[in-house]
Amino acid sequence: MILLIKKIIRSILHSTITSISLFFSLNNIYTFRKYKNIFYSSLLKREFKDVGENFSIEYPFNIIGPLYISIGNNFSSFSGLILEAHEQHLNNHYSPEIKIGDNVSFAYNCHIGCVNKIIIGNNVLFASKVFVTDHFHGEIKKEFLKIPPSLRKVISKGPVMIEDNVWIGEGVAIMPNVKIGRNTIIGTNSVVTKNIPENSVVGGVPAKVIRKLE
Amino acid sequence: MILLIKKIIRSILHSTITSISLFFSLNNIYTFRKYKNIFYSSLLKREFKDVGENFSIEYPFNIIGPLYISIGNNFSSFSGLILEAHEQHLNNHYSPEIKIGDNVSFAYNCHIGCVNKIIIGNNVLFASKVFVTDHFHGEIKKEFLKIPPSLRKVISKGPVMIEDNVWIGEGVAIMPNVKIGRNTIIGTNSVVTKNIPENSVVGGVPAKVIRKLE
Amino acid sequence: MILLIKKIIRSILHSTITSISLFFSLNNIYTFRKYKNIFYSSLLKREFKDVGENFSIEYPFNIIGPLYISIGNNFSSFSGLILEAHEQHLNNHYSPEIKIGDNVSFAYNCHIGCVNKIIIGNNVLFASKVFVTDHFHGEIKKEFLKIPPSLRKVISKGPVMIEDNVWIGEGVAIMPNVKIGRNTIIGTNSVVTKNIPENSVVGGVPAKVIRKLE
């Protein structure tokens, strides 16, 4: 009996919701999202150290340490961006600096983590799920292994520098102390652990130069 | 004094929220989500070129160019699906076509990008974070490198075709101009850059045939 | 005329939203999120088989089969966690067990899928987009290939065991029947298909031991 009533209620709910959906279209959703993004972009713009004209970011995002982040003109990011400039981890203090040039765009779910310095040039295009970091949880040494990873002192082997005109493929990871030369193309899912010369096409885990375009 | 008041307010808020949470369960959340998904699925169904019976998609999603997308029966996707059929990039026009067969399902955060043609057969199973694309930002040639990647003319080397009964692992990327033969299994995090024969198991970056099951 | 009116309305909406945003800051968003997460963490805590002190999880998440999941003290996860303990797939029944030790933390968008047994030790640190599974859709055998992947009987080759003090990098995947020894570091985007001895640094697709720290 109770099961029957539940079934009837569910069926009524189902048809009601389906009927209500008739009054909405994908365009309505997108319009609503657009204004939500205008709200968040406008709010966020005031938080960064510097931000150029034409700043656009989609919700949700997670920005840590915006005062250490400067952004050029025509920045855009789709949803899921995580930008972390950490000034502290455990009892250690850092002076992080994320500097992003003009005309930089991120697709979905990109993640940048910084305790030292990450410089991104002009006209850099990030596909989705790209990860850039300038630090590790501890040095890769025997004496660190006994410490729980989250309690190891976060250290940076060196800054990350991505020069102008670089195109970074989906799922790519760029590790600490790496410089990527201008005009380079980084292939999907590759992990960049060493400097990459300009005008290169790279791929693989770890990434190797596949072609030089010169 | 102000700090003390703040602390008290926070503590009251904390206990209030914890108490309210006692009136809810995971099941309540899931029921609410279920009806939200019914709403969005019902709304979205009317936007595609074609869509079969039993269409189900979880919010959030991002669908671009639904009029260029046709979908068979029993389609399902968990949250985070991005389906892009672009008819325009810069001043260039495209005739994209995404065609999805029957009984196709996507887990979380999959991403399909199309300016040319992407055909997905019947009974194809996508794990999470799969990326399928039929286009690049510019040809991989010297003369394109000086142009900012986002301003390079988007070009398709050829369509992507995924035949029936293919199982695509977590984090896989499938590149332009690739045909994947029926019954094939694509291993986690691999990047498919070339045609794959049927009845194969493939893996790696770039993906290679590991085993033939014949 | 209508276009003009639309343009005016849009412009008014735009300025209104921009003005409203002046009353909010990133801190307000984070405070709101914090209380939302307190609500969901408090609600979720009551659903697991066991859960220790200091449990914290960010919304959104997706937890399936919480009764088969036990969690130690000081658990934390950022948004996007998917924890699946499946007791049924098609007509097959399973007795899944996910056991998580003390001081385990997940960054963003991690995914754990279990039909058999997944044991995670103490002090294990997961970066973002990590995937751990103890099962496949069917055995990798010829006779399974003709069956649609989603209708193949889900089977587990063996449990996954991650020992204490392991640090798992961004985008890593850990496959069924794998034991990862204590103090090990798993490099970004690598796919672990075989047992890993303790005190190792591993990387690649499939993952190989790069260094032993002893």
Side-chain angles (χ1 to χ4, degrees):
Chain A
M1 187 59 190
I2 291 175
L3 270 178
L4 186 70
I5 292 174
K6 272 198 177 171
K7 215 174 154 185
I8 291 169
I9 291 176
R10 257 185 227 151
S11 159
I12 291 172
L13 255 170
H14 197 297
S15 350
T16 313
I17 286 167
T18 312
S19 312
I20 292 171
S21 87
L22 291 171
F23 296 96
F24 295 90
S25 73
L26 198 55
N27 261 339
N28 298 141
I29 302 179
Y30 289 167
T31 304
F32 179 72
R33 274 193 200 168
K34 200 182 99 189
Y35 286 108
K36 195 161 95 175
N37 294 335
I38 288 171
F39 172 81
Y40 282 109
S41 299
S42 159
L43 180 159
L44 208 52
K45 260 173 87 165
R46 303 190 308 270
E47 307 269 348
F48 292 107
K49 186 181 166 192
D50 267 315
V51 61
E53 295 190 359
N54 228 340
F55 171 85
S56 146
I57 190 170
E58 282 184 13
Y59 189 83
F61 51 76
N62 200 10
I63 314 290
I64 294 172
L67 276 173
Y68 304 101
I69 302 172
S70 51
I71 293 177
N73 296 315
N74 307 316
F75 174 91
S76 76
S77 172
F78 293 153
S79 63
L81 182 67
I82 299 159
L83 273 184
E84 303 175 311
H86 296 287
E87 56 181 357
Q88 193 174 0
H89 178 256
L90 308 172
N91 290 320
N92 308 298
H93 293 266
Y94 302 91
S95 307
E97 182 187 356
I98 298 178
K99 208 172 165 183
I100 297 175
D102 293 335
N103 314 314
V104 170
S105 58
F106 290 90
Y108 299 89
N109 298 316
C110 287
H111 180 190
I112 302 214
C114 177
V115 301
N116 179 2
K117 196 192 280 207
I118 294 178
I119 311 288
I120 296 166
N122 301 318
N123 305 313
V124 176
L125 178 64
F126 291 79
S128 296
K129 296 178 293 169
V130 174
F131 173 50
V132 181
T133 186
D134 67 358
H135 60 282
F136 282 153
H137 283 268
E139 289 185 72
I140 313 296
K141 284 185 177 165
K142 193 187 164 189
E143 56 267 40
F144 280 84
L145 293 189
K146 297 284 158 71
I147 309 168
S150 64
L151 300 180
R152 292 175 197 161
K153 185 183 170 185
V154 159
I155 56 115
S156 173
K157 276 200 316 184
V160 172
M161 190 168 187
I162 301 171
E163 292 189 339
D164 296 353
N165 264 9
V166 171
W167 172 31
I168 300 173
E170 198 108 350
V172 164
I174 296 172
M175 299 286 100
N177 199 27
V178 158
K179 180 180 162 185
I180 296 177
R182 54 167 55 217
N183 307 328
T184 280
I185 297 171
I186 314 285
T188 309
N189 278 12
S190 52
V191 177
V192 185
T193 57
K194 289 180 180 160
N195 290 353
I196 306 291
E198 52 183 53
N199 305 315
S200 312
V201 182
V202 308
V205 183
K208 282 167 189 158
V209 175
I210 300 170
R211 266 159 78 187
K212 287 283 290 171
L213 295 170
E214 279 171 342
Chain B
M1 186 60 188
I2 292 176
L3 270 177
L4 186 70
I5 294 175
K6 272 198 177 169
K7 216 174 154 186
I8 292 169
I9 292 177
R10 257 185 226 150
S11 159
I12 293 172
L13 254 171
H14 197 297
S15 351
T16 314
I17 286 169
T18 311
S19 314
I20 293 173
S21 87
L22 291 171
F23 297 95
F24 294 90
S25 73
L26 198 55
N27 261 339
N28 298 141
I29 302 179
Y30 289 168
T31 305
F32 179 72
R33 274 193 200 169
K34 198 182 102 187
Y35 286 108
K36 196 161 93 172
N37 294 335
I38 288 171
F39 172 80
Y40 281 110
S41 299
S42 159
L43 179 159
L44 207 52
K45 259 175 87 167
R46 301 189 308 269
E47 307 270 348
F48 292 108
K49 186 179 164 193
D50 267 314
V51 61
E53 294 189 2
N54 231 337
F55 171 85
S56 146
I57 191 169
E58 281 185 13
Y59 190 82
F61 51 74
N62 200 10
I63 314 290
I64 293 173
L67 276 173
Y68 303 102
I69 302 172
S70 50
I71 293 176
N73 295 316
N74 307 315
F75 175 91
S76 76
S77 172
F78 293 154
S79 64
L81 181 67
I82 300 160
L83 273 184
E84 304 175 310
H86 296 287
E87 55 180 358
Q88 192 173 359
H89 177 258
L90 306 173
N91 290 320
N92 308 298
H93 292 266
Y94 301 91
S95 306
E97 182 186 356
I98 298 177
K99 208 171 163 182
I100 297 175
D102 293 335
N103 313 313
V104 169
S105 59
F106 291 90
Y108 299 90
N109 298 316
C110 289
H111 180 189
I112 303 215
C114 176
V115 302
N116 178 2
K117 196 191 280 205
I118 294 178
I119 310 288
I120 296 166
N122 300 318
N123 306 313
V124 176
L125 178 64
F126 290 79
S128 296
K129 296 179 292 168
V130 174
F131 173 50
V132 181
T133 185
D134 67 358
H135 60 282
F136 282 153
H137 282 268
E139 287 185 73
I140 313 299
K141 283 186 178 165
K142 193 188 164 188
E143 55 267 38
F144 280 84
L145 293 189
K146 298 285 158 69
I147 308 168
S150 64
L151 300 180
R152 290 175 199 162
K153 185 183 170 185
V154 158
I155 56 115
S156 173
K157 275 201 316 184
V160 171
M161 190 166 186
I162 301 170
E163 292 189 339
D164 295 353
N165 265 9
V166 171
W167 172 30
I168 300 172
E170 199 108 349
V172 164
I174 297 173
M175 298 285 101
N177 199 27
V178 157
K179 180 179 161 183
I180 296 177
R182 55 165 57 215
N183 307 328
T184 280
I185 297 171
I186 314 286
T188 308
N189 279 12
S190 53
V191 177
V192 185
T193 57
K194 289 180 180 160
N195 290 353
I196 305 292
E198 52 184 52
N199 305 315
S200 313
V201 181
V202 308
V205 183
K208 282 167 188 158
V209 174
I210 299 170
R211 266 161 78 187
K212 287 283 290 172
L213 295 170
E214 278 171 343
Chain C
M1 187 61 190
I2 291 176
L3 270 178
L4 186 69
I5 294 175
K6 272 197 175 171
K7 217 175 153 185
I8 292 169
I9 292 177
R10 257 184 226 151
S11 160
I12 292 172
L13 254 171
H14 197 297
S15 352
T16 313
I17 287 168
T18 312
S19 313
I20 292 173
S21 87
L22 291 170
F23 296 96
F24 295 90
S25 73
L26 197 56
N27 261 339
N28 299 141
I29 302 180
Y30 290 167
T31 305
F32 179 73
R33 273 193 201 169
K34 199 183 101 187
Y35 287 108
K36 196 162 93 173
N37 294 335
I38 289 171
F39 172 81
Y40 282 110
S41 299
S42 159
L43 179 158
L44 208 53
K45 259 174 88 164
R46 302 189 309 270
E47 307 271 348
F48 291 108
K49 186 179 164 193
D50 267 314
V51 62
E53 293 190 2
N54 231 337
F55 172 85
S56 145
I57 190 169
E58 283 185 12
Y59 189 83
F61 51 74
N62 200 11
I63 314 291
I64 293 172
L67 275 172
Y68 303 101
I69 302 172
S70 52
I71 293 176
N73 295 316
N74 306 316
F75 175 92
S76 76
S77 172
F78 293 154
S79 63
L81 182 66
I82 299 160
L83 273 184
E84 304 174 310
H86 296 287
E87 56 181 357
Q88 192 175 0
H89 177 257
L90 307 173
N91 290 320
N92 308 298
H93 293 267
Y94 302 92
S95 307
E97 182 186 357
I98 297 177
K99 208 172 164 181
I100 297 175
D102 291 336
N103 312 313
V104 170
S105 59
F106 291 90
Y108 299 90
N109 298 316
C110 288
H111 180 189
I112 303 215
C114 175
V115 302
N116 179 3
K117 195 192 281 204
I118 294 178
I119 310 289
I120 296 166
N122 300 319
N123 305 313
V124 177
L125 177 64
F126 291 79
S128 297
K129 296 179 294 168
V130 174
F131 174 51
V132 180
T133 186
D134 67 358
H135 61 282
F136 282 153
H137 283 269
E139 289 185 70
I140 313 298
K141 284 186 177 164
K142 193 187 165 189
E143 56 267 39
F144 280 83
L145 293 188
K146 297 285 159 68
I147 309 168
S150 64
L151 300 180
R152 291 174 198 162
K153 186 184 170 183
V154 158
I155 56 116
S156 172
K157 274 201 316 185
V160 172
M161 190 166 185
I162 301 170
E163 292 189 340
D164 294 354
N165 265 8
V166 171
W167 172 32
I168 300 173
E170 198 109 350
V172 164
I174 297 173
M175 298 286 101
N177 198 27
V178 157
K179 180 180 161 184
I180 296 177
R182 55 165 57 215
N183 307 328
T184 280
I185 298 172
I186 315 285
T188 309
N189 279 11
S190 54
V191 177
V192 185
T193 56
K194 289 179 181 161
N195 289 353
I196 306 291
E198 52 184 51
N199 304 315
S200 313
V201 182
V202 307
V205 182
K208 283 167 188 158
V209 174
I210 299 171
R211 267 161 76 187
K212 286 283 289 170
L213 295 170
E214 278 173 340

